Amino acid sequence: MKIIGNLILAAVVLLVVSFFAAPGVAFFALRGAADSGDVAELDRLVDYGAMRKALGPQLTGRVDTLTPPPSILEDPIGAVQRQFQRGPVAEGPRADAYLTPAALGALTRGEGRAAALRSEATGPDAEPPRGGPWPRPVYWGMDRARMAVTGNSGDDTVFTFARTGFFSWHLVHVSLPEERLPIVGQSGRKGG
């Protein structure tokens, strides 16, 4: 009887550890699939619709796209006013540039906004990148987990995973580091 009790206890401990480690496993599965160019595995791991929706406001700099538009029934003046206030969307990298296997792999290495510059045309003989910084958990909940990767610049790229099953997680959001603009007027020399 004692052996059966120990086996049950070991199974429960293994189940709990697996349950809590699943987002980390999903992160490394994402990195591996991106590095190998496994599109089918990426389709299983990434919610592309949610990713496009999450990346759009970060790339355009328009936070107002996060708030739902006012309803004509709830706020008729606000709805009409919003139609006239819409201006042209700032051009810049599109969300799809961050959703290629090469860009997703670069994101998992903490390359942040520069990940969109990764090209798929690296050649058939090119060695896929290996390794990268380890993610650290910044939030863990029953339905969501966030993991941050610090890049060479010291900025964090934060990945948000949502639970889709007991052990399965989807990538639904990536928080890119803030874009740093060069400071104009400083030459870097000391003195006057």
Side-chain angles (χ1 to χ4, degrees):
M1 271 315 219
K2 188 172 182 171
I3 293 175
I4 293 174
N6 287 340
L7 286 175
I8 291 173
L9 180 64
V12 169
V13 168
L14 182 63
L15 183 70
V16 169
V17 168
S18 299
F19 182 78
F20 284 102
V25 171
F27 177 87
F28 286 110
L30 174 70
R31 181 182 282 174
D35 289 347
S36 66
D38 188 352
V39 177
E41 182 68 9
L42 287 173
D43 285 344
R44 190 181 69 77
L45 293 169
V46 179
D47 183 346
Y48 287 104
M51 287 289 293
R52 284 183 187 95
K53 189 175 182 180
L55 285 169
Q58 294 180 66
L59 299 175
T60 62
R62 292 184 61 184
V63 181
D64 62 335
T65 58
L66 291 173
T67 59
S71 167
I72 193 90
L73 296 175
E74 295 171 358
D75 184 12
I77 295 172
V80 172
Q81 185 179 23
R82 184 174 172 103
Q83 290 298 320
F84 289 112
Q85 289 179 346
R86 289 189 184 179
V89 175
E91 284 299 315
R94 302 263 186 239
D96 287 339
Y98 289 92
L99 299 177
T100 65
L104 286 169
L107 284 171
T108 64
R109 285 177 186 71
E111 292 187 22
R113 293 185 181 270
L117 304 176
R118 291 289 172 192
S119 172
E120 292 293 334
T122 56
D125 297 332
E127 181 71 22
R130 299 274 181 227
W134 278 74
R136 69 181 188 289
V138 291
Y139 172 79
W140 197 99
M142 295 304 283
D143 294 334
R144 291 210 181 267
R146 289 190 179 92
M147 307 188 86
V149 176
T150 304
N152 292 337
S153 65
D155 293 327
D156 286 343
T157 303
V158 180
F159 297 82
T160 302
F161 291 90
R163 181 180 302 283
T164 58
F166 194 71
F167 292 112
S168 58
W169 295 76
H170 267 149
L171 177 66
V172 295
H173 189 279
V174 172
S175 294
L176 299 172
E178 290 295 320
E179 191 169 18
R180 294 186 184 184
L181 300 174
I183 299 173
V184 179
Q186 292 185 354
S187 64
R189 288 184 281 157
K190 292 183 179 178

